Amino acid sequence: MKRDNATWVSEFILMGLSSDKHIQAGLFVLFGVTYLLTLLGNGLIVLLIALDPRLHLPMYFFLCHLSVVDICYTSSGVPQMLAHFLMEKKTISFALCGTQHFFALALGGTEFLLLAAMAYDRYVAVCNPLRYTVVMNPRLCMGLAGVSWFVGVVNSAVETAVTMRLPTCGHNVLNHVACETLALVRLACVDITLNQVVILASSVVVLLVPCCLVSLSYAYIVTAILKIRSTQGRRKAFGTCASHLTVVSMSYGMALFTHMEPTSTASAEQDKVVVVFYAVVTPMLNPLVYSLRNKDVKAAFSRVLMKIFESKN
């Protein structure tokens, strides 16, 4: 289709990770199993938090939102990847590409902001434990979660609108596995200064600012932990943050690495692998990290299993 002598395309061709059929078959199995584990793990976390009153705490309120984000985020791209592994022609319509782009950005941005909110929750729990329930009241928790979702959606709407308006002059081959910002911008045949500004602003809003807030929170947390005299007390305090810190390291580390060189075509293949790891692997690891490192979650799981077992008998 043409508008103002500039050319837009009706569909895109995704190059994917490999053109080798055997490798694609292996990736189909690997990604399929990973996707099922992601749905199972995060779905179980949501179910446990909903069913067990002992988990109706601020920390698990945010964890529930994080699990919902992970389920939706991985579902915005992985099913299509799986389908393309089995297809000869890997195409995606312009409308579906824009939709996928929007949801991936919105959910990704929301996750970063939720992790910052969870860091504040851990800061209050460690540095001001006596006033924890007063400070982290339901109204504040809902407000932090609401702001995270709102900023994530608005940021994505702006970036998607600016990205999808770019004409490609007939070029429609995306060197990626999904409709990702940098891959789409590389196809543009017009000046992309505005896009570079928007990408930078977006990175500041959903990456740099939350990352700074997380770093500040943990600076106070580490200072507070070092003031604890007993070794057991230090371990207990650090244990309350270990799961969150692990997830933060994975999420922010991958995202920051991906956005280091937004205009570099040399890093296209590397960027593709990093984005796939972040979209496919990280959502699967989050529930594992929280369930294996968290006694409350493991105890809730045991209680639910016991109830199911008792009901059958």
Side-chain angles (χ1 to χ4, degrees), residues 264-302:
S264 173
T265 55
S267 63
E269 291 299 322
Q270 190 177 37
D271 169 61
K272 189 194 308 184
V273 175
V274 172
V275 169
V276 166
F277 179 85
Y278 174 72
V280 177
V281 181
T282 303
M284 179 195 69
L285 293 179
N286 287 351
L288 290 177
V289 170
Y290 274 101
S291 60
L292 293 176
R293 286 179 170 270
N294 193 293
K295 294 180 180 179
D296 293 336
V297 173
K298 288 189 286 187
F301 183 61
S302 299

Side-chain angles (χ1 to χ4, degrees), residues 5-6 38 40-41 47 83 104 142 150 155 170 173 180 198 224 229 231 277:
N5 297 323
T38 298
L40 179 63
L47 185 63
M142 292 180 67
F150 178 77
N155 172 75
V173 180
E180 193 262 346
V198 171
R229 295 183 179 181
T231 304
F277 179 85

Side-chain angles (χ1 to χ4, degrees), residues 187-205:
L187 283 185
C189 58
V190 294
D191 181 67
I192 58 170
T193 302
L194 176 61
N195 296 82
Q196 291 173 327
V197 172
V198 171
I199 291 173
L200 178 61
S202 175
S203 298
V204 170
V205 172

Side-chain angles (χ1 to χ4, degrees), residues 230-283:
S230 68
T231 304
Q232 185 178 0
R234 289 182 180 181
R235 288 179 180 176
K236 184 178 180 180
F238 180 75
T240 63
C241 306
S243 298
H244 177 259
L245 190 57
T246 302
V247 172
V248 163
S249 300
M250 291 190 300
S251 298
Y252 282 103
M254 285 296 167
L256 289 172
F257 182 79
T258 302
H259 286 78
M260 283 184 68
E261 296 181 350
T263 59
S264 173
T265 55
S267 63
E269 291 299 322
Q270 190 177 37
D271 169 61
K272 189 194 308 184
V273 175
V274 172
V275 169
V276 166
F277 179 85
Y278 174 72
V280 177
V281 181
T282 303

Side-chain angles (χ1 to χ4, degrees), residues 48-298:
L48 289 176
I49 294 174
L51 294 179
D52 197 324
R54 300 184 190 183
L55 297 183
H56 293 176
L57 299 171
M59 174 182 175
Y60 300 109
F61 171 80
F62 291 119
L63 178 57
C64 184
H65 277 265
L66 187 65
S67 292
V68 171
V69 167
D70 281 338
I71 290 173
C72 296
Y73 184 84
T74 194
S75 296
S76 70
V78 174
Q80 179 187 277
M81 292 183 200
L82 295 175
H84 280 183
F85 287 141
L86 303 176
M87 296 168 63
E88 193 70 31
K89 189 178 181 182
K90 301 169 176 57
T91 60
I92 182 172
S93 68
F94 182 88
L96 186 56
C97 181
T99 302
Q100 184 185 77
H101 183 272
F102 169 77
F103 280 107
L105 277 179
L107 294 163
T110 299
E111 178 162 341
F112 296 137
L113 293 162
L114 282 173
L115 289 172
M118 294 173 77
Y120 178 71
D121 170 75
R122 293 300 83 203
Y123 157 74
V124 177
V126 174
C127 299
N128 200 358
L130 297 179
R131 300 191 68 245
Y132 177 70
T133 55
V134 176
V135 176
M136 297 304 297
N137 57 75
R139 183 176 180 180
L140 178 62
C141 292
M142 292 180 67
L144 290 173
V147 168
S148 298
W149 282 96
F150 178 77
V151 174
V153 169
V154 171
N155 172 75
S156 177
V158 173
E159 189 166 338
T160 299
V162 173
T163 302
M164 299 308 294
R165 59 176 279 278
L166 290 173
T168 61
C169 297
H171 303 294
N172 70 335
V173 180
L174 284 175
N175 186 18
H176 216 285
V177 295
C179 289
E180 193 262 346
T181 301
L182 305 184
L184 288 165
V185 169
R186 291 187 184 108
L187 283 185
C189 58
V190 294
D191 181 67
I192 58 170
T193 302
L194 176 61
N195 296 82
Q196 291 173 327
V197 172
V198 171
I199 291 173
L200 178 61
S202 175
S203 298
V204 170
V205 172
V206 300
L207 276 178
L208 185 59
V209 172
C211 189
C212 289
L213 292 175
V214 170
S215 300
L216 184 62
S217 295
Y218 274 100
Y220 281 108
I221 288 172
V222 170
T223 302
I225 291 176
L226 292 177
K227 291 180 180 179
I228 300 175
R229 295 183 179 181
S230 68
T231 304
Q232 185 178 0
R234 289 182 180 181
R235 288 179 180 176
K236 184 178 180 180
F238 180 75
T240 63
C241 306
S243 298
H244 177 259
L245 190 57
T246 302
V247 172
V248 163
S249 300
M250 291 190 300
S251 298
Y252 282 103
M254 285 296 167
L256 289 172
F257 182 79
T258 302
H259 286 78
M260 283 184 68
E261 296 181 350
T263 59
S264 173
T265 55
S267 63
E269 291 299 322
Q270 190 177 37
D271 169 61
K272 189 194 308 184
V273 175
V274 172
V275 169
V276 166
F277 179 85
Y278 174 72
V280 177
V281 181
T282 303
M284 179 195 69
L285 293 179
N286 287 351
L288 290 177
V289 170
Y290 274 101
S291 60
L292 293 176
R293 286 179 170 270
N294 193 293
K295 294 180 180 179
D296 293 336
V297 173
K298 288 189 286 187

Side-chain angles (χ1 to χ4, degrees), residues 301-313:
F301 183 61
S302 299
R303 287 193 293 270
V304 170
L305 287 180
M306 288 180 64
K307 288 181 180 179
I308 295 175
F309 181 76
E310 289 174 357
S311 65
K312 288 185 177 181
N313 293 335

